[in-house]
Amino acid sequence: MAALRYAGLDDTDSEDELPPGWEQRTTKDGWVYYANHAEEKTQWEHPKTGKRKRIAGDLPYGWEQETDENGQVFFVDHINKRTTYLDPRLAFTVDDNPTKPTSRQRYDGSTTAMEILQGRDFTGKVVVVTGANSGIGFETAKSFALHGAHVILACRNMTRANEAVSRILGEWHKAKVEAMTLDLALLRSVQHFAQAFKAKNLSLHVLVCNAAAFALPWSLTKDGLETTFQVNHLGHFYLVQLLQDVLCRSAPARVVVVSSESHRFTDISDSSGKLDFSRLSPSKNDYWAMLAYNRSKLCNILFSNELHRRLSPRGVTSNAVHPGNMMYSSIHRNWWVYTLLFTLARPFTKSMVSEQLLSPQTPSVHPLWTPVFSSTSCVLW
């Protein structure tokens, strides 16, 4: 304290500043108390303000509360490999009788999923994220895992998927995360994944349909369908159908379908306004990579809307989300022109961390709902 006084830093306008010889501590159940070392006594009221305070929210991700042999609470930061007796939440205490909030919480383009999930405890929740070995899929899976959820990375490339699992465990060794094989370009693989998942006898609280292909040259899958359409839409459509009973049994549950603003720049109807199936899986002569991607994203939204209409009465909601404009990820890797375009746009886009999908507890943050005709939705169903 003498050093602070010498430096002129002991003068503060903060009413929460403790007098010399006082220390702020917390109980196991989150109440703040104050220790007076000079008089060797403790009290609940702040020595200056007389207010009682309590901790707001849960521990930050990667932190854990433990008790030493003397019964004193201490805190372990698994991310930075350190321990402390100071509760990291002390900066976010609230009065015992807090006033009613005056405005709703707001987020912007730089907000990360970690910030949105702050204080959330997903212990006991099961989350499946497709395409989770890289990009926003990985960041989303990591965010859920570091907040206690049991996360399954559903990926085509198991080598990269296992590397992603190791990266998450490297941040928190107690994370419950695993990888399972899922190739959306092969409907048999989708079926095998669903069977393997059900064999685990797990619930399913969140299914994030994230995996996607972009700017692919024309090709047909082994199922005889155009690849972009099957990977981006039909594979996920089939996956949801196969896991629908598990979702309903786990209610409240949610399906999050990753779409894109590019869905606005296409159409899947013919000149008479009827659904043109030939546009969904076009021939090589009628194929344009960007248009195929846009159509698959439109299908995502139509599907999500209809899924929500059908399953919300049973406790399963569905949201289609737009993760961000021209985000910099590996989705552009199939053609050098798009790689160049994405590279030039990188300084003007959100970071990968801020592109993470949002918590299923916050559906109003970035929902992408597009009005559609119910007849079209039912046809795509």
Side-chain angles (χ1 to χ4, degrees), residues 298-317:
L298 177 57
C299 289
N300 287 160
I301 292 179
L302 295 172
F303 167 58
S304 178
N305 285 357
E306 182 63 17
L307 180 67
H308 181 80
R309 187 187 71 82
R310 295 191 182 198
L311 295 190
S312 57
R314 302 175 64 182
V316 180
T317 58

Side-chain angles (χ1 to χ4, degrees), residues 129-360:
V129 184
T130 68
N133 58 274
S134 63
I136 60 174
F138 171 76
E139 296 293 341
T140 300
K142 181 181 73 172
S143 298
F144 277 120
L146 295 181
H147 284 82
H150 179 177
V151 181
I152 295 176
L153 282 63
C155 306
R156 177 177 57 87
N157 187 322
M158 286 305 293
T159 299
R160 296 181 62 187
N162 288 325
E163 291 174 353
V165 169
S166 298
R167 288 166 59 193
I168 296 173
L169 291 174
E171 292 203 27
W172 188 32
H173 71 284
K174 291 187 178 181
K176 296 183 66 175
V177 57
E178 60 179 304
M180 292 179 63
T181 303
L182 173 65
D183 184 357
L184 294 166
L186 187 62
L187 295 182
R188 181 178 298 178
S189 174
V190 178
Q191 188 177 42
H192 288 169
F193 173 87
Q195 292 171 346
F197 178 84
K198 290 181 177 180
K200 293 177 177 290
N201 294 317
L202 294 172
S203 299
L204 180 56
H205 302 99
V206 183
L207 172 58
V208 182
C209 300
N210 163 76
F214 177 76
L216 292 178
W218 182 88
S219 66
L220 295 179
T221 65
K222 292 183 178 180
D223 300 300
L225 296 165
E226 191 276 313
T227 303
T228 301
F229 172 67
Q230 179 164 332
V231 171
N232 293 7
H233 171 64
L234 195 62
H236 283 127
F237 174 94
Y238 189 38
L239 178 64
V240 173
Q241 301 311 299
L242 294 175
L243 297 178
Q244 177 176 312
D245 57 335
V246 185
L247 286 163
C248 292
R249 193 166 59 245
S250 308
R254 172 161 299 179
V255 177
V256 179
V257 183
V258 182
S259 184
S260 170
E261 278 286 353
S262 64
H263 80 279
R264 302 182 187 279
F265 309 110
T266 188
D267 194 3
I268 54 176
S269 302
D270 58 22
S271 56
S272 64
K274 295 182 179 180
L275 179 63
D276 186 352
F277 285 98
S278 64
R279 297 190 180 190
L280 301 180
S281 182
S283 64
K284 187 173 183 178
N285 292 334
D286 297 326
Y287 179 80
W288 181 31
M290 192 67 219
L291 197 56
Y293 178 81
N294 295 354
R295 287 170 176 166
S296 70
K297 296 292 104 177
L298 177 57
C299 289
N300 287 160
I301 292 179
L302 295 172
F303 167 58
S304 178
N305 285 357
E306 182 63 17
L307 180 67
H308 181 80
R309 187 187 71 82
R310 295 191 182 198
L311 295 190
S312 57
R314 302 175 64 182
V316 180
T317 58
S318 179
N319 286 75
V321 300
H322 168 53
N325 289 320
M326 289 294 293
M327 61 186 178
Y328 188 82
S329 70
S330 59
I331 195 172
H332 55 78
R333 63 186 177 274
N334 295 296
W335 192 25
W336 70 268
V337 173
Y338 287 112
T339 299
L340 176 61
L341 180 60
F342 274 61
T343 302
L344 294 174
R346 186 179 187 181
F348 310 101
T349 61
K350 297 193 292 182
S351 68
M352 187 59 64
V353 174
S354 64
E355 290 284 0
Q356 300 169 65
L357 301 181
L358 301 178
S359 162

